[in-house]
Amino acid sequence: MSVTSENIISLNHVSKSYSGKKVLDDISFYVRKGEFVTLLGPSGCGKTTTLRLIAGFLSPDEGDILLDGKDISEIPPYRRPFNTVFQRYALFPHLDVYDNIAFGLKLQKLPSEEIDKRVRKVLKMVSMTDYEDRDVESLSGGQQQRVAIARALVNQPKILLLDEPLAALDLKMRKDMQIELKEMHRELGITFIYVTHDQEEALTLSDTIIVMNEGKIQQIGTPTDIYNEPKNSFVADFIGESNILNGKMIEDRKVEFVGHCFDCVDEGFGQNVDVDVVIRPEDIYIMNKLEGAQFSATVKSCTFKGVHYEMFVDTDKGYELMIQDYNAFEPGSTVGLLIRPSDIQVMKKERSCNSFEATVVDSTHVSFLSETFETEEQTRFPAGTKVLARVAFDKVDLTDHQEDGTIDGEVHFLLYKGDHYHLTVLTSEGEHIWVDTNDIWDKGDLVGVNIAKEDIHLCELQQ
Amino acid sequence: MNKRSSWALPYFIFLLLFVALPLILVMVYAFQDGSGHFTLSNITKFFSDSDALGTFALSLEVAVENTLICILLGYPAAWVLANKEYNRSAVTIVLFILPMWINALMRTLATTELFNMLGVTLGKGTLLYGMVYDYLPFMIYPIYNVLNKMDKSYAEAAQDLGATPWKVFWKVVLPLSMPGVASGVLMVFMPTVSTFAISEFLTNNKIKLFGTIIQENINSSMWNYGAALSLMMLIIIGITTMFQGKDKEVEGGMV
């Protein structure tokens, strides 16, 4: 059975918080019958929470979950027609392989011949015939995985939920199991909802990928859509390798980045608008001669990666780019580069500077992010006025020691943009500050944040 | 002997002096008469002494009853303590363990006085009450330990496969917590077989347990017969331990 147009399950505006922290923020998506859908994102993005909501181990704070159009929020997990393959398998250690698989069928009080028939059939499907009397703890990781899949599938669920099922296997085994899972999905026609943080796995297996980050859906699309047309810099960075650069849309079909102007295929951004540009490293043409090239660069490093070489180059205007090519280019040599219009992916910038809701304290102070900052003297806004405090990305100063900063925070996400880093700093209050810097920070670094008084610009709060 | 294993030497000597030697002495005394000649008469005396046999049987009966009551009361208590929904603080567990920090003799004496004050006739009922009171924490703790450490994905997997909360308990949680129960049984059953103070105080010496008889014999310098009786008890304890030993993994953990 192939994917149909009929929705089997849909989540509408679902939110969930744990002890005050929002882990899912207004999630909506639907899954069609027979579809292989993957929830993809880094750890803590809310993908497992979403799966547990569907399985029924959690209930949503807001929003509803519909199965065949009917709300199932109140139905306990043991009455939902779904089965789960757990991350650590959760095979019952006191039962052998046969009894583990028969567990669900025995609860349904099926006749024993029927149970026997179905267990044997599913054992054959996962190539585990002859293992029925084995103690589950004597099995290898891959075998336990197969038993876990068999235990779920034998109940003929409407939806099979898989929570990072291959995460504990080694690379070779993971690749084999991916192929087998895909086969099973095709043969059985059951809807699969799959959770993983492995983008390659998601691209290989899925009909549809839902990319999540920080409790929000970033993009929903087919693997090719997600790879070729990432909606924002998070998706571009998370899926595959990419060069993410600041750019400016000069006019329709003309974009400027790395100090040069390029033809592209994007329209409708307006004129002279700041944008993010994504170039996949395999989409940059690299050659020894300069004629026919759009710009030149010097090769900095060249590493053999099996199928291709991975090179870092410094462009003539001082930007660093990653390039993948089948040919190696000598470090130190000058090369010509060319990017085709259709390989330039232009994305709207999510924001162009930090803006915080602030309250004026007096003529030289303003408070935001639960702290008071000094500003240049102003008389426009009287004390107590609610205003917007704007701070440019590159005017935020980070220090090594949290105690040296007005606010303390943690480097949460970082993006290399060719000539500088774009960091997301999460303050201890859970607010975001975006920073452009040339200094090298690592994810998880604890930092102090300072903002000079001349860099805080106050403006009216727009309603 | 390499350098590291020589560290074990003091412990080994201690073991020899205070564990092995007394056990050997019990064996030797059990097969000797008063003048130091080998005899089996102590053993045959036990098997022909209906009083001693009766006490032996009663001791086992009381120990079994005590253990069963401890399981029936202790399991639900351990389950509630291990359940995050009902118990969010570790303090509650300490409160359950707290009575164990007070000398058992003092607790027993206090219980006796309490019964006297309330005018309850001392007998088997009060004896069992005292034993359960004394040994319940030893049952709760190992079960709590196993339940607390149990991966909750097992229960979730069972629910996911269609088990109601009640079935989850019977089919998964209970079987998986058996090592804890076994540990608890061992820790309750063995000391109750040999106890004598509780029966002495809480029944006003009306009911004699096996431990009491051993104590009486040794107190009246009947070393050889006392040793023979101790040997019988050791055999019983040995058999119980063997049951436990068959369990392939003991996660129970002592206090």
Side-chain angles (χ1 to χ4, degrees):
Chain A
M1 190 171 79
S2 57
V3 179
T4 62
S5 58
E6 193 183 335
N7 290 354
I8 184 159
I9 195 158
S10 49
L11 276 73
N12 295 324
H13 306 289
V14 169
S15 294
K16 177 81 191 166
S17 304
Y18 285 130
S19 47
K21 194 178 177 300
K22 221 165 197 172
V23 287
L24 285 185
D25 190 1
D26 195 20
I27 297 284
S28 297
F29 66 86
Y30 59 83
V31 175
R32 284 166 305 176
K33 211 169 173 182
E35 201 175 6
F36 195 130
V37 172
T38 300
L39 299 167
L40 173 67
S43 60
C45 71
K47 57 190 191 298
T48 296
T49 306
T50 308
L51 196 78
R52 291 173 62 79
L53 282 169
I54 297 173
F57 298 126
L58 297 172
S59 52
D61 296 340
E62 284 164 49
D64 43 31
I65 302 172
L66 305 178
L67 171 70
D68 295 326
K70 284 187 281 290
D71 188 14
I72 55 165
S73 303
E74 297 304 314
I75 294 178
Y78 53 88
R79 282 182 41 218
R80 298 193 184 189
F82 314 145
N83 286 112
T84 308
V85 178
F86 290 84
Q87 191 170 15
R88 307 290 319 182
Y89 319 139
L91 297 176
F92 305 124
H94 61 297
L95 301 176
D96 63 14
V97 169
Y98 185 97
D99 286 330
N100 259 285
I101 298 174
F103 191 90
L105 301 177
K106 282 182 180 167
L107 285 169
Q108 292 172 39
K109 302 225 158 48
L110 293 179
S112 60
E113 311 86 70
E114 166 84 5
I115 293 179
D116 207 52
K117 212 177 84 195
R118 276 167 68 173
V119 171
R120 276 172 215 292
K121 195 175 148 203
V122 79
L123 272 170
K124 194 165 165 224
M125 195 172 75
V126 297
S127 332
M128 289 287 287
T129 320
D130 297 338
Y131 281 89
E132 55 243 57
D133 298 327
R134 286 279 288 274
D135 193 350
V136 289
E137 278 167 343
S138 71
L139 301 178
S140 72
Q143 290 168 333
Q144 291 191 24
Q145 178 59 261
R146 286 161 195 273
V147 176
I149 293 170
R151 184 178 70 175
L153 283 178
V154 79
N155 303 293
Q156 299 166 351
K158 279 192 174 172
I159 303 178
L160 185 69
L161 307 171
L162 302 107
D163 185 7
E164 306 226 17
L166 309 183
L169 302 180
D170 62 51
L171 185 69
K172 180 83 176 57
M173 186 101 80
R174 204 152 64 217
K175 298 265 180 204
D176 292 345
M177 281 307 289
Q178 283 176 12
I179 296 167
E180 282 186 48
L181 275 175
K182 188 97 183 144
E183 296 261 293
M184 270 179 222
H185 174 250
R186 214 183 40 224
E187 276 169 32
L188 296 167
I190 293 176
T191 311
F192 279 38
I193 301 180
Y194 192 98
V195 162
T196 185
H197 64 269
D198 182 337
Q199 42 103 3
E200 201 195 320
E201 200 163 282
L203 293 172
T204 312
L205 292 171
S206 326
D207 295 319
T208 303
I209 298 177
I210 299 172
V211 186
M212 294 179 71
N213 188 35
E214 294 187 355
K216 290 196 181 84
I217 291 178
Q218 304 292 320
Q219 188 170 1
I220 302 179
T222 64
T224 36
D225 278 353
I226 300 262
Y227 188 83
N228 292 334
E229 314 268 327
K231 248 189 186 159
N232 56 41
S233 52
F234 172 81
V235 178
D237 182 63
F238 193 73
I239 312 281
E241 310 266 23
S242 43
N243 295 293
I244 302 172
L245 304 154
N246 284 336
K248 183 173 269 181
M249 206 68 191
I250 307 294
E251 54 183 60
D252 280 355
R253 294 167 176 271
K254 265 214 178 340
V255 62
E256 185 197 295
F257 59 95
V258 297
H260 294 273
C261 192
F262 295 86
D263 288 332
C264 66
V265 294
D266 297 87
E267 297 177 346
F269 284 87
Q271 289 185 350
N272 294 319
V273 176
D274 284 329
V275 290
D276 278 327
V277 174
V278 177
I279 316 286
R280 296 290 181 188
E282 69 271 20
D283 289 339
I284 303 176
Y285 291 86
I286 176 167
M287 46 208 150
N288 272 319
K289 52 184 197 315
L290 293 181
E291 59 273 21
Q294 288 162 315
F295 57 109
S296 69
T298 313
V299 178
K300 260 200 336 189
S301 71
C302 179
T303 320
F304 183 55
K305 289 279 177 181
V307 179
H308 60 264
Y309 290 88
E310 185 175 280
M311 284 159 281
F312 285 93
V313 303
D314 276 332
T315 72
D316 50 357
K317 298 278 166 64
Y319 291 88
E320 190 186 74
L321 294 177
M322 182 205 260
I323 301 174
Q324 290 170 355
D325 200 274
Y326 296 119
N327 301 307
F329 290 81
E330 210 43 42
S333 61
T334 304
V335 290
L337 302 179
L338 178 112
I339 305 167
R340 289 193 318 189
S342 61
D343 291 334
I344 298 171
Q345 165 68 16
V346 178
M347 303 179 304
K348 209 172 133 246
K349 263 200 186 304
E350 285 154 272
R351 61 193 71 78
S352 51
C353 81
N354 289 296
S355 44
F356 307 105
E357 276 186 32
T359 310
V360 176
V361 178
D362 55 36
S363 61
T364 54
H365 289 88
V366 65
S367 88
F368 55 88
L369 298 173
S370 326
E371 291 293 338
T372 304
F373 291 84
E374 204 180 335
T375 59
E376 297 201 300
E377 188 152 4
Q378 54 88 21
T379 48
R380 240 175 98 204
F381 303 107
T385 321
K386 299 251 183 247
V387 292
L388 209 59
R390 296 163 74 91
V391 181
F393 295 142
D394 57 352
K395 299 295 184 198
V396 181
D397 186 31
L398 298 183
T399 66
D400 272 319
H401 300 288
Q402 287 194 314
E403 52 271 27
D404 297 340
T406 321
I407 310 175
D408 49 53
E410 186 190 326
V411 177
H412 191 57
F413 180 63
L414 39 98
L415 211 58
Y416 186 60
K417 292 201 131 175
D419 62 343
H420 67 274
Y421 287 93
H422 185 64
L423 310 182
T424 308
V425 173
L426 191 66
T427 69
S428 47
E429 305 276 323
E431 303 284 345
H432 292 102
I433 304 172
W434 287 274
V435 185
D436 279 350
T437 172
N438 288 316
D439 300 331
I440 294 170
W441 298 93
D442 276 323
K443 197 177 170 184
D445 281 350
L446 299 177
V447 292
V449 180
N450 285 312
I451 303 169
K453 62 178 180 182
E454 64 272 17
D455 296 324
I456 300 175
H457 302 287
L458 302 184
C459 53
E460 263 173 65
L461 195 61
Q462 277 134 16
Q463 292 305 314
Chain B
M1 193 184 277
N2 64 33
K3 215 173 167 192
R4 196 164 284 191
S5 64
S6 68
W7 295 355
L9 201 65
Y11 183 66
F12 184 72
I13 294 170
F14 178 88
L15 215 66
L16 211 66
L17 280 178
F18 296 101
V19 180
L21 194 66
L23 283 174
I24 292 165
L25 282 179
V26 166
M27 286 285 281
V28 170
Y29 271 85
F31 293 102
Q32 275 181 351
D33 60 17
S35 50
H37 296 292
F38 175 81
T39 176
L40 287 174
S41 64
N42 294 320
I43 312 292
T44 46
K45 185 181 169 191
F46 168 69
F47 284 105
S48 53
D49 181 352
S50 63
D51 242 19
L53 281 176
T55 316
F56 190 66
L58 180 69
S59 288
L60 285 181
E61 185 197 312
V62 170
V64 168
E65 284 168 352
N66 178 36
T67 310
L68 284 178
I69 297 172
C70 280
I71 294 177
L72 288 178
L73 294 178
Y75 199 103
W79 189 84
V80 170
L81 285 176
N83 200 320
K84 301 276 177 300
E85 253 176 69
Y86 303 114
N87 175 37
R88 285 165 198 273
S89 100
V91 178
T92 344
I93 293 123
V94 175
L95 286 178
F96 267 79
I97 308 297
L98 205 62
M100 291 202 296
W101 296 351
I102 300 163
N103 186 291
L105 218 56
M106 287 188 18
R107 269 181 290 159
T108 311
L109 280 169
T111 319
T112 314
E113 285 316 307
L114 211 63
F115 279 132
N116 282 336
M117 197 178 79
L118 294 169
V120 178
T121 327
L122 298 179
K124 195 174 169 197
T126 53
L127 172 64
L128 273 175
Y129 180 92
M131 285 191 161
V132 170
Y133 176 53
D134 254 11
Y135 290 107
L136 190 58
F138 292 97
M139 183 63 80
I140 293 178
Y141 197 72
I143 300 177
Y144 162 78
N145 238 355
V146 171
L147 288 175
N148 198 35
K149 274 191 265 170
M150 192 182 293
D151 192 342
K152 74 177 191 318
S153 65
Y154 292 135
E156 282 184 355
Q159 271 198 66
D160 187 74
L161 293 164
T164 58
W166 185 241
K167 290 264 188 205
V168 172
F169 178 76
W170 277 112
K171 303 251 176 207
V172 176
V173 177
L174 187 63
L176 285 178
S177 63
M178 282 328 273
V181 176
S183 243
V185 166
L186 210 66
M187 288 171 77
V188 171
F189 183 79
M190 295 207 304
T192 22
V193 176
S194 59
T195 180
F196 63 90
I198 298 176
S199 61
E200 200 175 310
F201 294 125
L202 271 171
T203 68
N204 213 358
N205 245 342
K206 268 188 277 180
I207 296 175
K208 275 186 192 163
L209 293 184
F210 204 56
T212 323
I213 299 195
I214 297 175
Q215 184 228 8
E216 280 175 358
N217 275 293
I218 288 175
N219 268 1
S220 48
S221 295
M222 311 255 294
W223 288 88
N224 301 99
Y225 189 45
L229 296 176
S230 301
L231 191 63
M232 292 297 132
M233 198 162 72
L234 277 174
I235 290 169
I236 294 292
I237 290 173
I239 292 170
T240 336
T241 327
M242 257 152 55
F243 275 118
Q244 172 83 5
K246 273 188 197 153
D247 250 304
K248 67 177 178 250
E249 48 179 332
V250 183
E251 294 172 34
M254 305 284 153
V255 182

PDB file of all heavy atoms in Angstrom, chain A residues 41 76 100 102 182 313 335 386 406:
ATOM      1  N   GLY A  41      15.447  16.238  14.778  1.00  0.00           N
ATOM      2  CA  GLY A  41      15.940  17.430  15.463  1.00  0.00           C
ATOM      3  C   GLY A  41      17.001  17.059  16.467  1.00  0.00           C
ATOM      4  O   GLY A  41      17.182  15.881  16.772  1.00  0.00           O
ATOM      5  N   PRO A  76      -6.274   6.210  27.232  1.00  0.00           N
ATOM      6  CA  PRO A  76      -4.992   5.751  27.794  1.00  0.00           C
ATOM      7  C   PRO A  76      -4.196   4.947  26.767  1.00  0.00           C
ATOM      8  O   PRO A  76      -4.777   4.398  25.823  1.00  0.00           O
ATOM      9  CB  PRO A  76      -5.420   4.859  28.970  1.00  0.00           C
ATOM     10  CG  PRO A  76      -6.806   4.428  28.651  1.00  0.00           C
ATOM     11  CD  PRO A  76      -7.429   5.543  27.873  1.00  0.00           C
ATOM     12  N   ASN A 100       7.957 -12.561  24.914  1.00  0.00           N
ATOM     13  CA  ASN A 100       8.018 -11.120  24.704  1.00  0.00           C
ATOM     14  C   ASN A 100       7.127 -10.724  23.540  1.00  0.00           C
ATOM     15  O   ASN A 100       6.345  -9.784  23.631  1.00  0.00           O
ATOM     16  CB  ASN A 100       9.463 -10.683  24.410  1.00  0.00           C
ATOM     17  CG  ASN A 100      10.133 -10.071  25.627  1.00  0.00           C
ATOM     18  OD1 ASN A 100       9.849  -8.930  25.994  1.00  0.00           O
ATOM     19  ND2 ASN A 100      10.989 -10.839  26.264  1.00  0.00           N
ATOM     20  N   ALA A 102       4.737 -12.512  22.169  1.00  0.00           N
ATOM     21  CA  ALA A 102       3.335 -12.914  22.358  1.00  0.00           C
ATOM     22  C   ALA A 102       2.625 -12.081  23.420  1.00  0.00           C
ATOM     23  O   ALA A 102       1.414 -12.203  23.591  1.00  0.00           O
ATOM     24  CB  ALA A 102       3.275 -14.395  22.723  1.00  0.00           C
ATOM     25  N   LYS A 182      12.743   0.016   5.911  1.00  0.00           N
ATOM     26  CA  LYS A 182      12.111   0.583   4.731  1.00  0.00           C
ATOM     27  C   LYS A 182      11.320  -0.506   3.982  1.00  0.00           C
ATOM     28  O   LYS A 182      10.192  -0.283   3.562  1.00  0.00           O
ATOM     29  CB  LYS A 182      13.207   1.176   3.836  1.00  0.00           C
ATOM     30  CG  LYS A 182      12.712   1.972   2.669  1.00  0.00           C
ATOM     31  CD  LYS A 182      12.701   3.454   2.972  1.00  0.00           C
ATOM     32  CE  LYS A 182      12.126   4.239   1.799  1.00  0.00           C
ATOM     33  NZ  LYS A 182      11.340   5.377   2.192  1.00  0.00           N
ATOM     34  N   VAL A 313      38.405  26.977   1.397  1.00  0.00           N
ATOM     35  CA  VAL A 313      39.097  28.001   0.617  1.00  0.00           C
ATOM     36  C   VAL A 313      38.819  29.382   1.211  1.00  0.00           C
ATOM     37  O   VAL A 313      37.781  29.600   1.848  1.00  0.00           O
ATOM     38  CB  VAL A 313      38.649  27.996  -0.869  1.00  0.00           C
ATOM     39  CG1 VAL A 313      38.878  26.631  -1.495  1.00  0.00           C
ATOM     40  CG2 VAL A 313      37.188  28.418  -1.008  1.00  0.00           C
ATOM     41  N   VAL A 335      42.379  29.161  -7.172  1.00  0.00           N
ATOM     42  CA  VAL A 335      41.365  28.461  -7.968  1.00  0.00           C
ATOM     43  C   VAL A 335      40.253  29.426  -8.349  1.00  0.00           C
ATOM     44  O   VAL A 335      40.075  30.480  -7.727  1.00  0.00           O
ATOM     45  CB  VAL A 335      40.755  27.273  -7.184  1.00  0.00           C
ATOM     46  CG1 VAL A 335      41.769  26.150  -7.014  1.00  0.00           C
ATOM     47  CG2 VAL A 335      40.204  27.720  -5.845  1.00  0.00           C
ATOM     48  N   LYS A 386       7.260  51.842  28.349  1.00  0.00           N
ATOM     49  CA  LYS A 386       7.665  50.582  27.718  1.00  0.00           C
ATOM     50  C   LYS A 386       8.193  50.906  26.334  1.00  0.00           C
ATOM     51  O   LYS A 386       7.528  51.587  25.554  1.00  0.00           O
ATOM     52  CB  LYS A 386       6.470  49.634  27.591  1.00  0.00           C
ATOM     53  CG  LYS A 386       5.846  49.264  28.926  1.00  0.00           C
ATOM     54  CD  LYS A 386       6.146  47.827  29.274  1.00  0.00           C
ATOM     55  CE  LYS A 386       5.478  47.396  30.552  1.00  0.00           C
ATOM     56  NZ  LYS A 386       6.419  47.116  31.615  1.00  0.00           N
ATOM     57  N   THR A 406      26.922  41.600  32.571  1.00  0.00           N
ATOM     58  CA  THR A 406      25.706  42.097  33.206  1.00  0.00           C
ATOM     59  C   THR A 406      24.691  40.953  33.303  1.00  0.00           C
ATOM     60  O   THR A 406      23.956  40.823  34.267  1.00  0.00           O
ATOM     61  CB  THR A 406      25.090  43.233  32.359  1.00  0.00           C
ATOM     62  OG1 THR A 406      26.142  44.031  31.860  1.00  0.00           O
ATOM     63  CG2 THR A 406      24.144  44.075  33.186  1.00  0.00           C
TER      64      THR A 406
END
